[in-house]
């Protein structure tokens, strides 16, 4: 009796969800590293064009939004003209059912939604440098955001190990507003010779 040969079975690697992240440094690097660590295939593009930057092995730089990208993050807080261009580029590339998550620290998410054709897909959130280390993410649905889009965004942040809190769509949201006001007051105290920088640092550490 001859033994039947069993054909070699190669295990296919599980496909990873593709993310596209664009915007300003260091926000792009912070979220790219976090998403890559959580198993996403991450492609990034900084606002500054020209020579390619050296990227971590965890993620890749790409001027083109890859096919089958399932979600995009727009992380621009200062150059709103560039932010508009980024969002319009993403809106054209992604399938209509895929969400765009955009920082709304300096411009409301509802206003950003007017810049693109598929307004329902955009949801705002609070992003400033180092905020990615906190366990809570503020999510701001727009007047166009259906329940399904908001749930997709919440599931995404939960996959990063974050809790989410829905807040009203206002410029600056909640936590970024408070932090920026505190920083401003610290600057005013320094300008008025109320305290030295080290004294202000001590007061912030002990008081907050």
């Amino acid at each position: 009796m001859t033994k039947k040969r069993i054909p070699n079975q190669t295990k296919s690697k599980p496909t990873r969800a593709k993310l596209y992240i664009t915007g300003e440094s260091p926000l792009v690097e912070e979220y790219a590293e976090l998403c890559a660590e959580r198993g996403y295939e991450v492609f990034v593009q900084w606002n500054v064009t020209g020579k390619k930057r050296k990227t971590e092995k965890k993620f890749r730089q790409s001027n083109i939004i890859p096919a089958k990208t399932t979600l995009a993050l727009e992380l621009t807080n200062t150059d709103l003209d560039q932010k508009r261009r980024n969002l319009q580029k993403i809106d054209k590339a992604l399938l209509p059912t895929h969400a765009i998550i955009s920082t709304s620290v300096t411009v409301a998410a509802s206003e950003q939604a007017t810049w693109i054709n598929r307004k329902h897909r955009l949801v705002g959130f609070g992003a400033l440098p180092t905020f990615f280390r906190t366990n809570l993410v503020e999510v701001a649905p727009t007047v166009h955001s259906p329940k399904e889009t908001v749930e997709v965004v919440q599931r995404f942040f939960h996959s990063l190990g974050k809790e989410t809190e829905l807040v009203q769509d206002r410029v600056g949201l909640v936590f970024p507003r408070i932090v920026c006001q505190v920083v401003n007051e610290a600057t005013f105290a320094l300008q008025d010779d109320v305290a030295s920088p080290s004294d202000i640092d001590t007061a912030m550490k002990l008081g907050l």
Side-chain angles (χ1 to χ4, degrees):
M1 186 175 179
T2 58
K3 292 183 179 180
K4 290 184 178 180
R5 278 189 173 183
I6 300 175
N8 292 330
Q9 294 181 349
T10 58
K11 292 183 179 180
S12 58
K13 293 183 179 179
T15 56
R16 297 186 295 161
K18 290 182 180 179
L19 298 183
Y20 180 76
I21 302 176
T22 186
E24 298 169 342
S25 180
L27 284 174
V28 169
E29 295 94 323
E30 290 176 349
Y31 277 91
E33 289 184 20
L34 177 60
C35 292
E37 288 171 0
R38 290 289 174 162
Y40 289 99
E41 186 176 3
V42 181
F43 298 84
V44 303
Q45 177 60 33
W46 286 272
N47 288 344
V48 180
T49 57
K51 186 178 178 180
K52 278 199 170 186
R53 296 191 182 196
K54 183 179 179 181
T55 59
E56 299 286 337
K57 292 181 179 179
K58 300 174 185 176
F59 54 88
R60 287 179 279 174
Q61 184 173 356
S62 175
N63 294 326
I64 301 172
I65 301 175
K68 298 183 180 179
T69 296
T70 57
L71 188 144
L73 273 73
E74 206 299 317
L75 303 175
T76 303
N77 284 325
T78 57
D79 188 341
L80 298 189
D81 289 334
Q82 181 63 55
K83 186 176 186 71
R84 183 196 295 258
R85 290 192 291 270
N86 289 346
L87 289 173
Q88 291 172 346
K89 176 181 177 180
I90 294 169
D91 187 44
K92 289 179 182 178
L94 261 61
L95 292 176
T97 54
H98 294 167
I100 302 172
I101 307 174
S102 181
T103 174
S104 52
V105 172
T106 55
V107 56
S110 292
E111 181 177 346
Q112 296 178 49
T114 65
W115 300 343
I116 61 178
N117 291 325
R118 300 176 179 92
K119 298 175 176 57
H120 66 279
R121 66 159 82 208
L122 190 141
V123 173
F125 83 115
L128 284 174
T130 73
F131 273 29
F132 79 106
R133 297 174 186 165
T134 62
N135 293 326
L136 182 68
V137 176
E138 293 178 7
V139 174
T142 74
V143 294
H144 310 286
S145 302
K147 179 182 177 183
E148 292 78 10
T149 303
V150 177
E151 289 176 347
V152 166
V153 172
Q154 288 180 305
R155 285 198 298 271
F156 166 70
F157 283 118
H158 293 166
S159 74
L160 301 182
K162 308 294 184 182
E163 294 297 323
T164 59
E165 186 71 34
L166 297 183
V167 299
Q168 290 188 5
D169 179 29
R170 298 288 187 273
V171 175
L173 308 181
V174 181
F175 187 47
R177 269 190 182 186
I178 294 171
V179 169
C180 289
Q181 287 177 350
V182 171
V183 172
N184 285 340
E185 288 301 323
T187 303
F188 296 149
L190 181 61
Q191 289 175 347
D192 295 339
D193 292 326
V194 173
S196 68
S198 61
D199 291 336
I200 293 172
D201 285 343
T202 301
M204 293 296 294
K205 292 173 184 176
L206 299 179
L208 296 180

